[in-house]
Amino acid sequence: MTLESTQTETATHHRIQQAVAQLLHGTGLPPVAAQGLQLSGNGAAYPSSFYVDVAGAAALASATVASAQLAALRLPGSAPAQAHIDVDHVLAECTG
């Protein structure tokens, strides 16, 4: 992995995390709900001026984090599962 691709991945992940925080806030979930979120991939293979990488990954990540929170509520004493989202896989699904 080159320095440029690492910087791109870091910037993409930061934008996704910000979007997830906003989406979770809108649902009433606390920001700490996303602490177990792990992101990989940078979406570089799917360039777009519309930030499809951020929108698609944030939507899927938010739903995954919310599902983990719900599962933890159903099982008293359990911690929410960690969520892992691969941006490249999300984009492959989003772009058909």
Side-chain angles (χ1 to χ4, degrees):
M1 184 176 282
T2 66
L3 178 60
E4 183 179 334
S5 66
T6 301
Q7 290 172 336
T8 300
E9 185 171 299
T10 301
T12 299
H13 290 186
H14 181 70
R15 286 192 296 269
I16 293 168
Q17 289 167 338
Q18 286 179 319
V20 168
Q22 290 175 343
L23 289 167
L24 292 177
H25 177 74
T27 65
L29 287 172
V32 297
Q35 284 183 343
L37 177 61
Q38 297 175 355
L39 300 168
S40 62
N42 65 13
Y46 302 90
S48 172
S49 60
F50 297 106
Y51 290 109
V52 176
D53 53 350
V54 175
L60 185 60
S62 298
T64 303
V65 168
S67 295
Q69 293 291 314
L70 181 60
L73 288 173
R74 290 182 174 175
L75 299 169
S78 67
Q82 289 190 347
H84 177 255
I85 303 298
D86 186 308
V87 178
D88 295 325
H89 290 180
V90 171
L91 287 175
E93 289 295 325
C94 288
T95 59

